[in-house]
Amino acid sequence: MICEQQRLGGIHIITAFICDECNNEIVKTNVNDQRYPFFVKQMRKAFHTGNSRQYMN
């Protein structure tokens, strides 16, 4: 979801997957870092996608 690469290790949040490498970068990134807005934008995609999907039984 963040780097948009296929990776094996990571975590699932809602319908998104965050690889271990991106997760480590996010945790280390300060809010004043230039990369911070990018991480926020990528995370926002997952939450909007996850909340807007309709599931059928």
Side-chain angles (χ1 to χ4, degrees), residues 12-56:
H12 288 275
I13 300 176
I14 306 174
T15 60
F17 176 78
I18 302 175
C19 70
D20 288 331
E21 292 175 33
C22 288
N23 185 45
N24 291 335
E25 284 298 311
I26 292 168
V27 170
K28 293 188 306 186
T29 302
N30 187 298
V31 297
N32 297 319
D33 191 296
Q34 289 179 329
R35 297 173 296 168
Y36 186 80
F38 170 76
F39 292 138
V40 171
K41 177 183 160 198
Q42 293 298 92
M43 294 288 288
R44 197 172 280 147
K45 283 186 199 177
F47 289 107
H48 288 296
T49 301
N51 289 331
S52 64
R53 287 190 179 170
Q54 294 182 6
Y55 295 97
M56 291 193 234

